[in-house]
Amino acid sequence: VYQPLEDELIGSFFEAAFGWAPDSEGTRRRAALPLRHGGLAIPDPCELARTERLGACRASCLLTSAILAQDWKYEVDKKQLQEERAERQMDVDEGLKVLAKDLEKDLEGREARSLHETRQGGGSAWLAAIPIEDSGLALDRQTFRDAVAIRMGLQPPDPLPSRCPSCGKDADLAHYLKCCKEIGRAHV
């Protein structure tokens, strides 16, 4: 049921928002991870539907049993329900940690390094910040797309100048990430 939505995400959304589309299963699975686990928090709707269905069945199993048994004396134990929800959330989070570790092993080069680095903590807050221009929290289109590509370990979608506009040296992505001279327009 949700496959057309996933196809649209891959075929249109990623390209429009980030300038690239996931070219591998690993990249798409990483993009589905929450920000705190090194992803972009863009879930695969098919996978999300499967996991949420399992969670809903687990959460409602006692009530379902009571209904099928025609137990008129059944009462909802709210404390137990809260504990089960918290346990489920911990299980989900643990599963995401394991998935991120597995992805780290499956990915190669810059993609694997960037996943490892973003999972170390503190590198995701900018993606969750509300872009308020008055507070200096807004990124222009190119800077945002470049930053997301670097976070994912991919090449920036728009070609970088071959010479650094700041220091005048020949430049590649590594140079732009290290160049200490201020430039008029950030490229990463």
Side-chain angles (χ1 to χ4, degrees):
V1 172
Y2 293 103
Q3 191 59 49
L5 179 57
E6 173 64 7
D7 294 342
E8 197 62 29
L9 283 170
I10 291 173
S12 299
F13 173 76
F14 278 96
E15 184 68 39
F18 307 121
W20 53 268
D23 59 354
S24 71
E25 176 75 18
T27 304
R28 177 61 184 109
R29 287 176 49 210
R30 179 175 177 195
L33 288 172
L35 298 176
R36 69 184 176 283
H37 292 299
L40 295 175
I42 304 170
D44 174 342
C46 301
E47 185 61 31
L48 184 62
R50 276 190 288 279
T51 58
E52 290 302 312
R53 181 181 181 280
L54 291 173
C57 290
R58 183 174 158 189
S60 63
C61 70
L62 291 176
L63 179 59
T64 303
S65 297
I67 291 170
L68 293 173
Q70 295 292 302
D71 182 358
W72 297 102
K73 295 177 184 177
Y74 175 79
E75 289 185 30
V76 175
D77 183 350
K78 291 183 182 181
K79 186 175 181 180
Q80 181 186 6
L81 198 57
Q82 287 176 332
E83 289 172 0
E84 287 174 4
R85 284 182 189 151
E87 185 181 317
R88 172 159 164 39
Q89 188 57 47
M90 287 186 347
D91 289 349
V92 168
D93 200 55
E94 194 57 41
L96 291 168
K97 285 180 188 176
V98 169
L99 176 60
K101 272 188 173 185
D102 290 347
L103 278 174
E104 212 173 297
K105 293 174 192 170
D106 293 344
L107 296 173
E108 296 177 357
R110 279 186 30 212
E111 283 187 272
R113 261 191 334 272
S114 72
L115 177 57
H116 177 75
E117 290 168 1
T118 55
R119 290 183 58 231
Q120 298 309 307
S124 302
W126 68 274
L127 279 168
I130 298 171
I132 304 169
E133 281 191 47
D134 294 344
S135 299
L137 297 176
L139 297 176
D140 64 70
R141 174 188 166 274
Q142 181 178 1
T143 303
F144 174 77
R145 291 169 72 156
D146 288 350
V148 169
I150 291 167
R151 174 186 172 81
M152 295 295 289
L154 305 171
Q155 283 294 326
D158 302 316
L160 297 171
S162 59
R163 296 189 75 59
C164 179
S166 178
C167 66
K169 293 181 182 176
D170 287 341
D172 60 2
L173 179 59
H175 173 84
Y176 283 115
L177 291 172
K178 293 178 183 175
C179 187
C180 296
K181 294 198 175 195
E182 190 173 317
I183 55 178
R185 181 178 141 159
H187 290 284
V188 289

